[in-house]
């Protein structure tokens, strides 16, 4: 193991320990100090990796190659990042379009999570594509037959929509109430536009893989990929809202109504259950189960995705009615749904390609460093926003 690999193993372990202790409500000074030191070292290392990437090229910092050009930066930072940010359009539509005002307390933090998520995705693309100085080309060089063109435009436009949706929080902090009222006047058409854009590019990320029928394992290749990507993004968007609410309660003391969280859990379970039914029916209709023997490593990943990320969360949500265990079970179920969708995106973009390529891609420790830096940067940015902006209005007024 290289020195860099060992360092990343230590930093990953430290950050994982901090996350677990925080989730258990044990955010002691020792835990906080460990987290800050680990993040500081991680960011310093990542800065060096980024400089190396732009001087010596993408191949100098990654395990990717011409035979395997998409690695964890696409599977995790981009595809998973976009899916995990789906709570923004789900909750915004719930509040503004369906007029369910009881979900208002979770709207701002959910929009913030989505806004940060999309900005991190855009930053990841700057590092991941071979010629980042051409990232703007799809905006002026139209290729309307290309799925990538549609994804590029939808992500750009939806990031702008999220910025406008979140702007009242900044305007309130600055005392610009006229600007707040102006944004509220266009809230409904703005949210509708955001929902349309989100559903388009969430599904289109699945459509990207429709051009590789002979390269992606039949365990995942299906004409229903766009539908499955959209359904799973909706489920994981709700799951991320639950996870975010749990950590906010542990760190900032912002406790939400248990009834709201239970309703989110039931909605998550409903969408997840429908997703599993469609997924299993599709595997059966295509006769894909027969590939589980010859492609047994991929079969294990499929079982992990379906059982740990689907069946177990459904069972946990059914047990949330047990006195004293509801919130913890719901949090555990949401975490598993998040992990399951991440595994699904990695299966489609990575593990499902291995039988065809015959090339074992392993991410370098530098790729892992960049990915962890994006995750920690999102968490730190969320914390700073909560501290200085009225993301939770009641808490901000109390402070």
């Amino acid at each position: 193991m290289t020195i860099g690999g060992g360092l990343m193993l230590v930093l990953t372990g430290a950050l994982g320990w901090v996350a677990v202790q925080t989730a258990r409500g044990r955010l002691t000074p020792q835990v906080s100090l460990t987290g800050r030191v680990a993040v500081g070292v991680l960011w310093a290392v990542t800065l060096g990796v980024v400089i190396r990437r732009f001087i010596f090229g993408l191949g100098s910092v990654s395990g990717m190659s011409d035979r395997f050009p998409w690695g964890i930066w696409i599977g995790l930072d981009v595809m998973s990042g976009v899916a995990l940010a789906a709570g923004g359009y789900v909750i915004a539509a719930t509040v503004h379009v369906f007029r369910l005002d009881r979900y208002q307390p979770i709207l701002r933090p959910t929009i913030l999570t989505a806004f940060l998520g999309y900005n991190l995705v855009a930053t990841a693309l700057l590092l991941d594509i071979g010629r980042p100085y051409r990232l703007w080309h799809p905006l002026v060089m139209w290729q309307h037959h290309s799925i990538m063109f549609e994804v590029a435009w939808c992500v750009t436009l939806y990031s702008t929509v999220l910025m406008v949706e979140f702007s009242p929080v900044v305007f309130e902090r600055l005392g610009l109430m006229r600007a707040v009222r102006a944004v509220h006047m266009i809230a409904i058409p703005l949210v509708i536009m955001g929902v349309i854009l989100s559903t388009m590019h969430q599904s289109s990320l699945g459509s990207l893989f429709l051009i590789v029928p002979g390269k992606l394992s039949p365990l995942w290749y299906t004409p229903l990929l766009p539908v499955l990507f959209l359904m799973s993004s909706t489920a994981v968007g709700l799951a991320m809202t639950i996870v975010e609410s749990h950590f906010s309660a542990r760190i900032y003391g912002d406790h939400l109504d248990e009834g709201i969280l239970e309703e989110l859990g039931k909605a998550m379970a409903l969408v997840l259950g429908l997703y599993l039914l469609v997924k299993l029916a599709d595997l059966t209709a295509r006769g894909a189960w027969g590939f589980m023997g010859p492609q047994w490593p991929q079969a294990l990943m499929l079982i992990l995705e379906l059982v740990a990320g689907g069946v177990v969360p459904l069972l946990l949500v059914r047990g949330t009615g047990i006195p004293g265990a509801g919130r913890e079970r719901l949090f555990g179920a949401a975490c598993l749904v998040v992990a399951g969708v991440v595994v699904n995106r990695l299966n489609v973009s990575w593990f499902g390609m291995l039988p065809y390529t015959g090339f074992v891609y392993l991410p370098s420790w530098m790729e892992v460093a960049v990915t962890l830096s994006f995750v920690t940067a999102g968490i730190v940015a969320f914390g700073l926003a909560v501290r200085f902006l009225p993301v939770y209005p009641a808490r901000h007024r109390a402070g």
Side-chain angles (χ1 to χ4, degrees), residues 291-302:
F291 289 89
M292 296 190 71
Q295 298 181 5
W296 64 266
Q298 285 68 40
L300 292 178
M301 293 302 297
L302 178 65

Side-chain angles (χ1 to χ4, degrees), residues 180-369:
V180 173
R181 288 191 291 270
V183 175
H184 286 169
M185 289 176 62
I186 62 171
I188 293 180
L190 190 69
V191 169
I192 292 175
M193 180 186 296
V195 171
I196 293 173
L197 292 169
S198 296
T199 52
M200 287 175 65
H201 70 257
Q202 292 286 358
S203 60
S204 294
L205 285 174
S207 301
L208 286 175
F209 294 89
L210 294 180
I211 63 173
V212 290
K215 299 180 180 180
L216 179 59
S217 168
L219 295 176
W220 290 282
Y221 183 83
T222 168
L224 293 181
L225 267 175
V227 177
L228 293 173
F229 265 53
L230 177 59
M231 295 179 69
S232 59
S233 72
T234 303
V236 80
L238 294 166
M240 273 299 295
T241 303
I242 295 171
V243 172
E244 165 203 290
S245 299
H246 182 88
F247 277 106
S248 294
R250 296 298 192 190
I251 298 173
Y252 309 113
D254 299 298
H255 294 278
L256 291 176
D257 184 355
E258 295 288 339
I260 292 178
L261 294 178
E262 289 181 8
E263 290 175 9
L264 289 176
K266 292 177 181 178
M268 176 188 73
L270 175 61
V271 178
L272 182 62
L274 291 174
Y275 167 79
L276 288 177
L277 287 176
V278 174
K279 178 82 171 180
L280 295 175
D282 174 70
L283 288 168
T284 303
R286 292 186 295 105
W289 297 111
F291 289 89
M292 296 190 71
Q295 298 181 5
W296 64 266
Q298 285 68 40
L300 292 178
M301 293 302 297
L302 178 65
I303 293 172
L304 176 65
E305 170 191 328
L306 295 178
V307 176
V311 177
V312 175
L314 289 178
L315 295 176
L316 287 174
V317 171
R318 285 179 58 87
T320 54
I322 300 175
R327 189 183 183 94
E328 299 302 324
R329 281 176 175 262
L330 187 58
F331 172 69
C335 287
L336 286 174
V337 172
V338 170
V341 171
V342 170
V343 171
N344 169 259
R345 300 307 193 255
L346 290 176
N347 282 338
V348 172
S349 63
W350 178 3
F351 297 108
M353 297 287 187
L354 295 179
Y356 171 81
T357 62
F359 175 77
V360 180
Y361 157 77
L362 290 175
S364 71
W365 68 267
M366 289 178 280
E367 288 177 90
V368 176

Side-chain angles (χ1 to χ4, degrees), residues 24-111:
R24 297 174 66 186
R26 299 179 178 178
L27 189 59
T28 63
Q30 179 187 9
V31 172
S32 180
L33 178 61
T34 301
R36 292 179 181 181
V37 171
V39 168
V41 174
L42 174 65
W43 287 1
V45 171
T46 300
L47 178 61
V49 172
V50 171
I51 294 173
R52 179 185 176 92
R53 180 260 178 271
F54 284 111
I55 294 177
F56 299 105
L58 193 58
S60 67
V61 299
S62 75
M64 294 181 282
S65 67
D66 290 339
R67 294 183 64 188
F68 213 101
W70 281 9
I72 63 168
W73 284 351
I74 290 293
L76 278 178
D77 301 354
V78 178
M79 295 178 61
S80 297
V82 169
L84 297 180
Y89 82 86
V90 174
I91 302 302
T94 300
V95 173
H96 290 292
V97 179
F98 298 107
R99 309 300 296 176
L100 298 178
D101 292 335
R102 64 181 177 277
Y103 294 101
Q104 189 73 42
I106 63 175
L107 177 60
R108 288 185 172 186
T110 304
I111 294 296

